[in-house]
Amino acid sequence: MANFELTRKFVEELKVLIDKQDNEEVSRILDDLHPADIAELFEELNIDEAKYIYFLLDDDKAADVLIELDEYDRLRFLESLPSEVIARRFIDKMDSDDAADVISEFDPNRQQEVISYIEDANVAGDIVDLLNYDENTAGGLMAKELIKVKENWSIPTCLRSMRRQAENIDEVYYVYVVDNNGKLKGTLSLKKMLLSSTGKLVSDIYNPDVISVGVDTPAEEVSNIMDKYGLVALPVVDHVGRLAGRITIDDVVDFMREEAGKDYALASGITGDVEASDSIWLLTKARIPWLFIGLIGGLFGSRVVGSFGGILDLYPQLAFFMPLIAAMGGNVGIQSSAIVVQSIAAGTMGLASPIKKLLKEFSVAVLNASVLAGLAFVYNMLIGSQEALTLTVSGAMFSVIIFASIFGAVVPLFLNKIKIDPAVATGPFVTTLNDIIGMGIYLTIGTFFYNWLA
Amino acid sequence: MANFELTRKFVEELKVLIDKQDNEEVSRILDDLHPADIAELFEELNIDEAKYIYFLLDDDKAADVLIELDEYDRLRFLESLPSEVIARRFIDKMDSDDAADVISEFDPNRQQEVISYIEDANVAGDIVDLLNYDENTAGGLMAKELIKVKENWSIPTCLRSMRRQAENIDEVYYVYVVDNNGKLKGTLSLKKMLLSSTGKLVSDIYNPDVISVGVDTPAEEVSNIMDKYGLVALPVVDHVGRLAGRITIDDVVDFMREEAGKDYALASGITGDVEASDSIWLLTKARIPWLFIGLIGGLFGSRVVGSFGGILDLYPQLAFFMPLIAAMGGNVGIQSSAIVVQSIAAGTMGLASPIKKLLKEFSVAVLNASVLAGLAFVYNMLIGSQEALTLTVSGAMFSVIIFASIFGAVVPLFLNKIKIDPAVATGPFVTTLNDIIGMGIYLTIGTFFYNWLA
């Protein structure tokens, strides 16, 4: 199986084969594809074509494809199947974390029904356990499948037990060492097992320096810990320190991608994780809420500008620079909120106090504001603008940049303090408020200078 | 070693101990810390305190800490050390990919010097090889350390060789199978080794379905492949299919984080990957370029608005809604470019043709534009605005939303076509252009309606 790239030609040829019901040739093609490729292919097929293909797959591959599908397609597909088929053909073939993810998408009655059809009581129990955890915690990310050995075992006992346990697990990254009460003691690396003589006990060779998280640890912290310490698997312990499960890097990478996508979307004024290939309706739904907020803000802003109608009547040239001042406030505000949001998410805020952080933001703002207001001043001098206009534009630009910088930094710091995701602060929210306040500052300064110099 | 959280108290107490030169107590504290924690601690210390701590660490840990430091701190630290110390104390203890990363940060003369002090000629050769690859390709991400076995070996031969090879490697995820010419044939899972009888050959049990990339594969594609197929390690082959190295998930996670951070920064108008804890100078430098572009754009915009000075003189109330129209164009443009940029980066654009993609964007835009222009119309009717103003605001909003949507989507698609990172299209660039064009559209429509209805 080489790398596969989905092409329009491939999809069209396959559709012809499906149309001809050429089971043999379609099966041959599917054999060469990875489950992730088949999931990608599904997005290009209609539901009947997808079903035709799906029932040509063997159970293991079918279960793998199901996990790779996106939530929306998966639900649409499973809705048409009886609970018994879902339990026997799919859930039984999945790791406990994937099984719990899939089942959690059903309504509670369907969940019960599917679980009741799972044959192995241990598997069903594991899934029920996992369903209790919030999906954004370590408990929600972990799987129950892992290899554990007791610290007082000999290497041969250990190897025998590992062989038995390994049968149910896709990949073995670490072997966990527990005491007689099930408490996590450390890890046993496969490399150490390869290099050790068989006369030793597990307790002689295991590594007690193990990093673990609790079932309630937030997913974001899990992701930061695995990234910081470069881990491919992380054990999860319950409230009394017993080994409850393990999180693998692939689940965390998925989580990270989703989070990065969400933050980026929020900064760009999009709600939800949409892609260019989603439907027109989904795309519109993701975009209109922030535009609506922008509209309300903008209409309110028009009242603010309107309240300066007198000065605009007298000096309409003040209007020429309104878009510049509004844009500058918006841009500066996004910059400072983005830096704070990213640093909070990555856990790299450093140890300085909030006052120190704002003082720093203030210094950066003064530097930026001086340069830009200075350049605007030179520009207006060169084109021979009125004195009052020149002073207004530069004075307002200086004030707006400083205000917007501080405002852009304070909002996410404050939201984080009151436990709201600071990422919502970026994008249209900060921009819109900065627009309105910027216009107020600009026209107030304009009124002052024109009255003074007139 | 439990999870460690760096606190101000901890740093202050440690600084007191360093001041007292209490080697014993400081060493005791350092023993409990992970290299990544020590690197984090370094950011809170001055250079002398950092050096004091650094020379209390044993060589292996010192090398690990060095890799965890950010580029800027690492260079500053290494500058003060002789090349021989760098080669013997650090480079020799690192994996080849980390060693190559560290060395690549030096100037060419220093690179030569450090490499000449590396004792093991194989290690030096590997590093020189790796330095030839672009850091944004699979060759630049890969390490040379891996375990490979030949397909015609017996399991006992294979185990003996693996034991020998494993001594130089931190973690073993996969064992690669090659033929007599060194060509990659497949993988041997450690789980399979645990479960297999010793009478078999490697060729009986290895898995030939191996996904690999070439040394020139772009890092972004590497990251998408590892994510899509859920891989923790990916073999890299040279131009004739020989196994050249392997990429592990931790390196790709770092790359992904950096890329996500860069895209987010670009969308927010920040150049370079800055954090809130960086210096005032670095923060200003990262923020002023886009603000400067915004200034130029805004000044140019003031000329555009100025060219409509006549109509603004007559009807200054037109100015009230300028910030709303500008903001709406900016917001819509960012949304549509962000969706396209993210979909290109994630490889999820789907197979539709560019024309189809733009038609879809157009449909979304018409939906959004109708709703928002309709709401603005109702608002102006309710507050009893002049007929001409009501028609101008709604007409311009409709046009600007549609224009900005299409423009926001076309720019990144075009940049991607001509092989420029489409992420630069988002943020201030699209916003600024949309601002200017939006003002032009608004005032043109305003001129039309006021002339018609006056």
Side-chain angles (χ1 to χ4, degrees), chain B residues 273-293:
Chain B
D273 195 10
V274 289
E275 287 168 358
S277 56
D278 284 333
S279 73
I280 290 172
W281 171 237
L282 273 179
L283 284 167
T284 306
K285 224 175 57 179
R287 290 167 62 165
I288 217 162
W290 273 125
L291 295 179
F292 181 71
I293 290 176

PDB file of all heavy atoms in Angstrom, chain B residues 273-293:
ATOM      1  N   ASP B 273       6.672  33.916  14.922  1.00  0.00           N
ATOM      2  CA  ASP B 273       6.027  33.160  15.974  1.00  0.00           C
ATOM      3  C   ASP B 273       6.379  33.785  17.321  1.00  0.00           C
ATOM      4  O   ASP B 273       7.270  33.329  18.015  1.00  0.00           O
ATOM      5  CB  ASP B 273       6.540  31.715  15.888  1.00  0.00           C
ATOM      6  CG  ASP B 273       5.668  30.787  16.695  1.00  0.00           C
ATOM      7  OD1 ASP B 273       4.595  31.229  17.132  1.00  0.00           O
ATOM      8  OD2 ASP B 273       6.073  29.641  16.877  1.00  0.00           O
ATOM      9  N   VAL B 274       5.692  34.863  17.720  1.00  0.00           N
ATOM     10  CA  VAL B 274       6.012  35.504  18.993  1.00  0.00           C
ATOM     11  C   VAL B 274       5.065  35.044  20.097  1.00  0.00           C
ATOM     12  O   VAL B 274       3.963  34.587  19.838  1.00  0.00           O
ATOM     13  CB  VAL B 274       5.956  37.048  18.908  1.00  0.00           C
ATOM     14  CG1 VAL B 274       7.107  37.568  18.101  1.00  0.00           C
ATOM     15  CG2 VAL B 274       4.635  37.509  18.338  1.00  0.00           C
ATOM     16  N   GLU B 275       5.535  35.154  21.321  1.00  0.00           N
ATOM     17  CA  GLU B 275       4.725  34.806  22.483  1.00  0.00           C
ATOM     18  C   GLU B 275       4.659  36.019  23.393  1.00  0.00           C
ATOM     19  O   GLU B 275       5.521  36.892  23.338  1.00  0.00           O
ATOM     20  CB  GLU B 275       5.383  33.655  23.247  1.00  0.00           C
ATOM     21  CG  GLU B 275       5.248  32.329  22.532  1.00  0.00           C
ATOM     22  CD  GLU B 275       6.138  31.282  23.149  1.00  0.00           C
ATOM     23  OE1 GLU B 275       6.879  31.606  24.102  1.00  0.00           O
ATOM     24  OE2 GLU B 275       6.093  30.145  22.672  1.00  0.00           O
ATOM     25  N   ALA B 276       3.643  36.015  24.260  1.00  0.00           N
ATOM     26  CA  ALA B 276       3.464  37.157  25.158  1.00  0.00           C
ATOM     27  C   ALA B 276       4.709  37.390  26.010  1.00  0.00           C
ATOM     28  O   ALA B 276       4.974  38.506  26.449  1.00  0.00           O
ATOM     29  CB  ALA B 276       2.244  36.933  26.041  1.00  0.00           C
ATOM     30  N   SER B 277       5.520  36.326  26.233  1.00  0.00           N
ATOM     31  CA  SER B 277       6.683  36.470  27.105  1.00  0.00           C
ATOM     32  C   SER B 277       7.923  36.983  26.362  1.00  0.00           C
ATOM     33  O   SER B 277       8.976  37.159  26.962  1.00  0.00           O
ATOM     34  CB  SER B 277       6.984  35.135  27.801  1.00  0.00           C
ATOM     35  OG  SER B 277       7.169  34.125  26.838  1.00  0.00           O
ATOM     36  N   ASP B 278       7.811  37.200  25.054  1.00  0.00           N
ATOM     37  CA  ASP B 278       8.968  37.711  24.308  1.00  0.00           C
ATOM     38  C   ASP B 278       9.240  39.191  24.646  1.00  0.00           C
ATOM     39  O   ASP B 278       8.425  39.845  25.287  1.00  0.00           O
ATOM     40  CB  ASP B 278       8.744  37.546  22.798  1.00  0.00           C
ATOM     41  CG  ASP B 278       8.936  36.098  22.356  1.00  0.00           C
ATOM     42  OD1 ASP B 278       9.705  35.390  23.032  1.00  0.00           O
ATOM     43  OD2 ASP B 278       8.314  35.688  21.374  1.00  0.00           O
ATOM     44  N   SER B 279      10.380  39.692  24.156  1.00  0.00           N
ATOM     45  CA  SER B 279      10.774  41.054  24.509  1.00  0.00           C
ATOM     46  C   SER B 279       9.911  42.088  23.762  1.00  0.00           C
ATOM     47  O   SER B 279       9.309  41.792  22.729  1.00  0.00           O
ATOM     48  CB  SER B 279      12.234  41.283  24.154  1.00  0.00           C
ATOM     49  OG  SER B 279      12.374  41.380  22.759  1.00  0.00           O
ATOM     50  N   ILE B 280       9.879  43.308  24.326  1.00  0.00           N
ATOM     51  CA  ILE B 280       9.104  44.392  23.718  1.00  0.00           C
ATOM     52  C   ILE B 280       9.553  44.619  22.283  1.00  0.00           C
ATOM     53  O   ILE B 280       8.752  44.819  21.374  1.00  0.00           O
ATOM     54  CB  ILE B 280       9.277  45.684  24.541  1.00  0.00           C
ATOM     55  CG1 ILE B 280       8.551  45.523  25.875  1.00  0.00           C
ATOM     56  CG2 ILE B 280       8.745  46.907  23.791  1.00  0.00           C
ATOM     57  CD1 ILE B 280       8.802  46.637  26.864  1.00  0.00           C
ATOM     58  N   TRP B 281      10.856  44.537  22.059  1.00  0.00           N
ATOM     59  CA  TRP B 281      11.417  44.770  20.743  1.00  0.00           C
ATOM     60  C   TRP B 281      10.925  43.723  19.742  1.00  0.00           C
ATOM     61  O   TRP B 281      10.479  44.043  18.645  1.00  0.00           O
ATOM     62  CB  TRP B 281      12.946  44.806  20.853  1.00  0.00           C
ATOM     63  CG  TRP B 281      13.639  44.833  19.518  1.00  0.00           C
ATOM     64  CD1 TRP B 281      14.557  43.955  19.065  1.00  0.00           C
ATOM     65  CD2 TRP B 281      13.448  45.792  18.465  1.00  0.00           C
ATOM     66  NE1 TRP B 281      14.945  44.285  17.801  1.00  0.00           N
ATOM     67  CE2 TRP B 281      14.284  45.415  17.406  1.00  0.00           C
ATOM     68  CE3 TRP B 281      12.641  46.924  18.321  1.00  0.00           C
ATOM     69  CZ2 TRP B 281      14.357  46.115  16.216  1.00  0.00           C
ATOM     70  CZ3 TRP B 281      12.698  47.624  17.118  1.00  0.00           C
ATOM     71  CH2 TRP B 281      13.561  47.228  16.102  1.00  0.00           C
ATOM     72  N   LEU B 282      11.006  42.428  20.146  1.00  0.00           N
ATOM     73  CA  LEU B 282      10.539  41.343  19.271  1.00  0.00           C
ATOM     74  C   LEU B 282       9.055  41.491  18.960  1.00  0.00           C
ATOM     75  O   LEU B 282       8.606  41.298  17.824  1.00  0.00           O
ATOM     76  CB  LEU B 282      10.763  39.977  19.940  1.00  0.00           C
ATOM     77  CG  LEU B 282      12.115  39.308  19.748  1.00  0.00           C
ATOM     78  CD1 LEU B 282      12.163  37.984  20.491  1.00  0.00           C
ATOM     79  CD2 LEU B 282      12.393  39.072  18.261  1.00  0.00           C
ATOM     80  N   LEU B 283       8.288  41.848  19.997  1.00  0.00           N
ATOM     81  CA  LEU B 283       6.833  41.984  19.806  1.00  0.00           C
ATOM     82  C   LEU B 283       6.497  43.119  18.856  1.00  0.00           C
ATOM     83  O   LEU B 283       5.619  43.001  18.004  1.00  0.00           O
ATOM     84  CB  LEU B 283       6.148  42.195  21.166  1.00  0.00           C
ATOM     85  CG  LEU B 283       6.022  40.936  22.034  1.00  0.00           C
ATOM     86  CD1 LEU B 283       5.632  41.303  23.459  1.00  0.00           C
ATOM     87  CD2 LEU B 283       4.979  39.987  21.448  1.00  0.00           C
ATOM     88  N   THR B 284       7.234  44.231  18.997  1.00  0.00           N
ATOM     89  CA  THR B 284       6.976  45.372  18.117  1.00  0.00           C
ATOM     90  C   THR B 284       7.343  45.022  16.676  1.00  0.00           C
ATOM     91  O   THR B 284       6.603  45.298  15.733  1.00  0.00           O
ATOM     92  CB  THR B 284       7.784  46.597  18.582  1.00  0.00           C
ATOM     93  OG1 THR B 284       7.501  46.831  19.954  1.00  0.00           O
ATOM     94  CG2 THR B 284       7.424  47.835  17.778  1.00  0.00           C
ATOM     95  N   LYS B 285       8.508  44.371  16.540  1.00  0.00           N
ATOM     96  CA  LYS B 285       8.990  44.005  15.202  1.00  0.00           C
ATOM     97  C   LYS B 285       8.011  43.064  14.504  1.00  0.00           C
ATOM     98  O   LYS B 285       7.866  43.101  13.287  1.00  0.00           O
ATOM     99  CB  LYS B 285      10.346  43.311  15.333  1.00  0.00           C
ATOM    100  CG  LYS B 285      11.371  43.767  14.326  1.00  0.00           C
ATOM    101  CD  LYS B 285      12.731  43.142  14.578  1.00  0.00           C
ATOM    102  CE  LYS B 285      12.701  41.638  14.570  1.00  0.00           C
ATOM    103  NZ  LYS B 285      14.014  41.022  14.780  1.00  0.00           N
ATOM    104  N   ALA B 286       7.354  42.198  15.279  1.00  0.00           N
ATOM    105  CA  ALA B 286       6.425  41.235  14.684  1.00  0.00           C
ATOM    106  C   ALA B 286       5.116  41.899  14.273  1.00  0.00           C
ATOM    107  O   ALA B 286       4.396  41.399  13.419  1.00  0.00           O
ATOM    108  CB  ALA B 286       6.119  40.105  15.669  1.00  0.00           C
ATOM    109  N   ARG B 287       4.814  43.060  14.900  1.00  0.00           N
ATOM    110  CA  ARG B 287       3.502  43.639  14.673  1.00  0.00           C
ATOM    111  C   ARG B 287       3.502  44.806  13.698  1.00  0.00           C
ATOM    112  O   ARG B 287       2.503  45.051  13.021  1.00  0.00           O
ATOM    113  CB  ARG B 287       2.904  44.062  16.017  1.00  0.00           C
ATOM    114  CG  ARG B 287       2.542  42.839  16.835  1.00  0.00           C
ATOM    115  CD  ARG B 287       2.234  43.159  18.263  1.00  0.00           C
ATOM    116  NE  ARG B 287       1.091  44.037  18.366  1.00  0.00           N
ATOM    117  CZ  ARG B 287       0.432  44.246  19.504  1.00  0.00           C
ATOM    118  NH1 ARG B 287       0.799  43.621  20.594  1.00  0.00           N
ATOM    119  NH2 ARG B 287      -0.583  45.062  19.527  1.00  0.00           N
ATOM    120  N   ILE B 288       4.620  45.536  13.609  1.00  0.00           N
ATOM    121  CA  ILE B 288       4.565  46.764  12.830  1.00  0.00           C
ATOM    122  C   ILE B 288       4.471  46.564  11.312  1.00  0.00           C
ATOM    123  O   ILE B 288       3.846  47.381  10.628  1.00  0.00           O
ATOM    124  CB  ILE B 288       5.710  47.726  13.240  1.00  0.00           C
ATOM    125  CG1 ILE B 288       5.184  49.166  13.185  1.00  0.00           C
ATOM    126  CG2 ILE B 288       6.959  47.534  12.398  1.00  0.00           C
ATOM    127  CD1 ILE B 288       6.024  50.155  13.952  1.00  0.00           C
ATOM    128  N   PRO B 289       5.044  45.469  10.730  1.00  0.00           N
ATOM    129  CA  PRO B 289       4.971  45.387   9.259  1.00  0.00           C
ATOM    130  C   PRO B 289       3.546  45.418   8.709  1.00  0.00           C
ATOM    131  O   PRO B 289       3.243  46.162   7.779  1.00  0.00           O
ATOM    132  CB  PRO B 289       5.640  44.041   8.954  1.00  0.00           C
ATOM    133  CG  PRO B 289       6.533  43.782  10.113  1.00  0.00           C
ATOM    134  CD  PRO B 289       5.837  44.370  11.299  1.00  0.00           C
ATOM    135  N   TRP B 290       2.656  44.613   9.306  1.00  0.00           N
ATOM    136  CA  TRP B 290       1.293  44.596   8.793  1.00  0.00           C
ATOM    137  C   TRP B 290       0.570  45.904   9.080  1.00  0.00           C
ATOM    138  O   TRP B 290      -0.277  46.349   8.319  1.00  0.00           O
ATOM    139  CB  TRP B 290       0.509  43.427   9.375  1.00  0.00           C
ATOM    140  CG  TRP B 290       0.663  42.168   8.590  1.00  0.00           C
ATOM    141  CD1 TRP B 290       1.085  40.961   9.068  1.00  0.00           C
ATOM    142  CD2 TRP B 290       0.399  41.968   7.200  1.00  0.00           C
ATOM    143  NE1 TRP B 290       1.100  40.033   8.063  1.00  0.00           N
ATOM    144  CE2 TRP B 290       0.690  40.620   6.899  1.00  0.00           C
ATOM    145  CE3 TRP B 290      -0.039  42.804   6.165  1.00  0.00           C
ATOM    146  CZ2 TRP B 290       0.545  40.090   5.621  1.00  0.00           C
ATOM    147  CZ3 TRP B 290      -0.176  42.268   4.891  1.00  0.00           C
ATOM    148  CH2 TRP B 290       0.110  40.918   4.629  1.00  0.00           C
ATOM    149  N   LEU B 291       0.892  46.507  10.240  1.00  0.00           N
ATOM    150  CA  LEU B 291       0.253  47.795  10.545  1.00  0.00           C
ATOM    151  C   LEU B 291       0.682  48.835   9.527  1.00  0.00           C
ATOM    152  O   LEU B 291      -0.100  49.695   9.117  1.00  0.00           O
ATOM    153  CB  LEU B 291       0.614  48.247  11.958  1.00  0.00           C
ATOM    154  CG  LEU B 291       0.089  47.346  13.082  1.00  0.00           C
ATOM    155  CD1 LEU B 291       0.518  47.880  14.436  1.00  0.00           C
ATOM    156  CD2 LEU B 291      -1.431  47.235  13.007  1.00  0.00           C
ATOM    157  N   PHE B 292       1.938  48.748   9.111  1.00  0.00           N
ATOM    158  CA  PHE B 292       2.452  49.670   8.106  1.00  0.00           C
ATOM    159  C   PHE B 292       1.689  49.497   6.787  1.00  0.00           C
ATOM    160  O   PHE B 292       1.265  50.477   6.161  1.00  0.00           O
ATOM    161  CB  PHE B 292       3.958  49.429   7.914  1.00  0.00           C
ATOM    162  CG  PHE B 292       4.575  50.355   6.925  1.00  0.00           C
ATOM    163  CD1 PHE B 292       4.752  51.705   7.228  1.00  0.00           C
ATOM    164  CD2 PHE B 292       4.963  49.902   5.678  1.00  0.00           C
ATOM    165  CE1 PHE B 292       5.320  52.575   6.300  1.00  0.00           C
ATOM    166  CE2 PHE B 292       5.535  50.759   4.746  1.00  0.00           C
ATOM    167  CZ  PHE B 292       5.710  52.100   5.053  1.00  0.00           C
ATOM    168  N   ILE B 293       1.491  48.230   6.404  1.00  0.00           N
ATOM    169  CA  ILE B 293       0.708  47.965   5.195  1.00  0.00           C
ATOM    170  C   ILE B 293      -0.714  48.497   5.362  1.00  0.00           C
ATOM    171  O   ILE B 293      -1.284  49.111   4.447  1.00  0.00           O
ATOM    172  CB  ILE B 293       0.693  46.452   4.879  1.00  0.00           C
ATOM    173  CG1 ILE B 293       2.092  46.038   4.421  1.00  0.00           C
ATOM    174  CG2 ILE B 293      -0.353  46.100   3.819  1.00  0.00           C
ATOM    175  CD1 ILE B 293       2.254  44.565   4.178  1.00  0.00           C
TER     176      ILE B 293
END
